[in-house]
Amino acid sequence: MENYLEEELIIRGIEINYLYVCKTKLWYFVRGITMEQESDFVDLGKFLHEKSYFGEEKEVQIGSIKIDFIKKRDIIEIHEIKKGKVMEKAHIMQALYYIYYLNKLGMKAKAILHYPKLKEIKEIELKENDKEEIKRAIKEIEHIKSLKEPPEPVYQKICKNCAYYELCFI
């Protein structure tokens, strides 16, 4: 087993997610500027998380990652509950990072994304090319963390519902 204190295992799953959603949001977040406690969309996500999948131990913390819930089978199943698919690439990358992280700790894992409002699930397995993308993402996150000012925001449709909207565009 490789040293689990490697720099790449210090990255949180939410940082991977934010990298694929918005680099500006990521920069604010890693500096402790969190606006989401005021967001109705975040509240809806928390409600879905709390009311879905009764009987499961929620929010399992392993090192720097926090997984919605896990099931131990022949391999560890990582389960993430998501509100919708608008940011599916970010969801997939976060799940892949969780698998990558557990693999680094010597555990075999796969992930399952749950979309309760859509009544859909998506199984995720880490492939060799995914590992390279995760490594690139980690390097990009470290770069963004090192910036003295936030990256210039790029307007997307999702911005109008973002808790950070005012920081970026007003």
Side-chain angles (χ1 to χ4, degrees):
M1 180 169 77
E2 293 182 40
N3 181 355
Y4 66 88
L5 293 176
E6 292 180 50
E7 184 175 298
E8 59 194 28
L9 296 187
I10 295 171
I11 301 291
R12 294 173 285 179
I14 194 70
E15 293 171 2
I16 294 285
N17 185 299
Y18 285 178
L19 176 69
Y20 288 89
V21 171
C22 174
K23 293 171 176 63
T24 308
K25 181 177 184 171
L26 171 62
W27 188 90
Y28 285 122
F29 178 79
V30 298
R31 280 168 175 68
I33 301 168
T34 57
M35 308 294 288
E36 293 176 323
Q37 65 272 16
E38 307 295 323
S39 171
D40 292 337
F41 290 98
V42 171
D43 288 343
L44 175 59
K46 286 179 182 177
F47 176 79
L48 276 174
H49 183 263
E50 290 168 8
K51 299 300 177 197
S52 300
Y53 307 97
F54 296 108
E56 303 298 340
E57 183 181 343
K58 304 274 176 49
E59 299 222 335
V60 178
Q61 181 93 33
I62 303 171
S64 65
I65 63 173
K66 191 183 291 184
I67 298 167
D68 287 349
F69 68 93
I70 62 172
K71 289 186 178 180
K72 199 166 182 193
R73 303 258 160 79
D74 52 333
I75 65 172
I76 293 173
E77 283 183 2
I78 298 162
H79 293 261
E80 283 289 302
I81 302 165
K82 302 298 182 184
K83 185 174 63 184
K85 288 186 167 184
V86 172
M87 295 175 273
E88 188 174 32
K89 174 71 173 175
H91 302 159
I92 291 168
M93 294 310 300
Q94 182 177 9
L96 287 169
Y97 177 68
Y98 290 160
I99 298 168
Y100 177 84
Y101 189 104
L102 293 178
N103 286 180
K104 287 283 193 178
L105 296 176
M107 297 178 244
K108 292 186 179 190
K110 71 176 184 179
I112 300 172
L113 297 176
H114 297 264
Y115 298 97
K117 283 180 66 181
L118 304 173
K119 295 182 171 64
E120 291 181 27
I121 64 168
K122 182 177 187 106
E123 288 196 30
I124 311 288
E125 293 190 19
L126 184 68
K127 296 178 179 59
E128 208 52 46
N129 61 327
D130 297 325
K131 291 177 188 177
E132 294 308 312
E133 186 167 358
I134 293 292
K135 288 176 186 177
R136 281 191 301 274
I138 290 166
K139 284 182 175 146
E140 189 170 359
I141 289 167
E142 290 302 330
H143 170 72
I144 291 168
K145 285 179 169 185
S146 75
L147 296 174
K148 293 193 185 319
E149 295 182 9
E152 193 67 33
V154 176
Y155 187 82
Q156 308 170 62
K157 283 197 281 188
I158 60 171
C159 291
K160 66 182 180 278
N161 295 322
C162 179
Y164 293 81
Y165 180 83
E166 291 184 16
L167 282 175
C168 294
F169 299 107
I170 294 181

